[in-house]
Amino acid sequence: MTRPRAPRTGEDGVEPIDVSQLVAKVPVWLDRLCEIGGQIDRDVAAAELRHIAMSMLGGHSQGTEAFTIREAKDGLLGFLKRPGTDAALRLNSRAEAALLDVLWLIPPPPELAHGQSATEAYLEGHLTTETLCAAAEDALIRIDTPRLTRAGVPAKGHGRPRSDTLEWAVDCLCELWERSTGTTVTSWNSSHNEYSSTSTSPAGIWVTEVISALSGDHLGSAVRRHVDAFVKSRK
């Protein structure tokens, strides 16, 4: 339902991304979090790191993001005109992602089996047309709502997806650091009483290491600016 914007690669707009080097580094990054915060849920933290990495490596412009917001809206509107389980499963991937996001948040519909989630029921084709339509209508509202800036105010238009930015990746890593270690992110920029262009706090060093590894370039000064902004936003 609706065609994706060009260019796209593969059946679903997804191009294979080489994550072999990433896989080797994730345990090292998790070990550092454990050193600071003790025991953490390594599986959850690893999944979050992979999500951030996929965006940094270009995943944000593939898969669901291979479709524009307009194409996602067209897909959901087309579904609402001719609703049904089969039609829902034929949604373009960005429209389906928006629908699944809503299903994660709504109260469990009555047709769910015991212990089953709404998303599981959706994938198994067990949700009623009424539930799917209500979720699609909510998804349309969410898609059409302008994103919020870091200051918490609506942006002018949709703009680039926030997951297409270094700012987003740094913020996600800072939040992961705070949740995993139980310590607050700080951003020192001095080392041995000398000015440093990069963050020299434990959190800043870790975030810089992750970002630089993912980007294939040393982005220390750019990361420091975004870590500084993250710290200020917490005050």
Side-chain angles (χ1 to χ4, degrees):
M1 299 173 72
T2 75
R3 295 178 62 83
R5 65 171 179 260
R8 64 192 291 247
T9 303
E11 180 66 22
D12 195 29
V14 180
E15 179 179 298
I17 296 174
D18 182 10
V19 294
S20 56
Q21 294 183 349
L22 166 68
V23 171
K25 292 178 179 178
V26 165
V28 177
W29 296 334
L30 295 178
D31 288 343
R32 180 57 179 155
L33 292 178
C34 290
E35 288 175 10
I36 302 296
Q39 288 296 112
I40 65 172
D41 190 326
R42 294 179 70 94
D43 290 339
V44 172
E48 188 162 351
L49 281 170
R50 285 193 293 271
H51 170 63
I52 296 168
M54 293 299 283
S55 287
M56 286 291 293
L57 292 169
H60 55 267
S61 62
Q62 301 161 5
T64 59
E65 294 294 337
F67 295 85
T68 65
I69 290 174
R70 167 53 60 189
E71 288 163 346
K73 289 171 63 177
D74 287 347
L76 290 167
L77 288 169
F79 163 76
L80 287 171
K81 291 178 181 177
R82 295 183 179 180
T85 301
D86 291 342
L89 294 174
R90 291 196 304 271
L91 286 169
N92 65 59
S93 55
R94 188 161 190 169
E96 183 178 48
L99 185 68
L100 288 171
D101 285 345
V102 171
L103 291 175
W104 269 109
L105 299 173
I106 64 173
E111 64 265 29
L112 293 191
H114 178 68
Q116 186 181 40
S117 70
T119 52
E120 288 173 337
Y122 163 77
L123 293 172
E124 294 170 7
H126 294 163
L127 292 182
T128 64
T129 300
E130 290 75 14
T131 296
L132 291 171
C133 285
E137 290 170 353
D138 197 357
L140 274 169
I141 294 173
R142 290 171 181 271
I143 285 177
D144 215 24
T145 300
R147 64 185 178 85
L148 296 180
T149 64
R150 179 181 261 155
V153 298
K156 295 180 179 179
H158 293 286
R160 295 170 65 198
R162 192 155 185 260
S163 56
D164 195 357
T165 65
L166 179 62
E167 171 193 305
W168 171 86
V170 171
D171 282 359
C172 286
L173 289 170
C174 287
E175 290 169 359
L176 176 59
W177 172 276
E178 291 190 337
R179 289 197 309 272
S180 300
T181 67
T183 63
T184 302
V185 170
T186 55
S187 180
W188 312 330
N189 65 339
S190 63
S191 179
H192 304 295
N193 296 322
E194 294 184 3
Y195 173 79
S196 172
S197 62
T198 64
S199 291
T200 55
S201 68
I205 291 171
W206 183 79
V207 172
T208 301
E209 178 186 346
V210 176
I211 292 292
S212 296
L214 294 176
S215 65
D217 193 11
H218 185 66
L219 300 176
S221 58
V223 171
R224 182 183 67 79
R225 289 195 299 273
H226 291 304
V227 171
D228 287 346
F230 178 86
V231 171
K232 291 176 182 177
S233 73
R234 286 293 196 258
K235 295 180 179 179

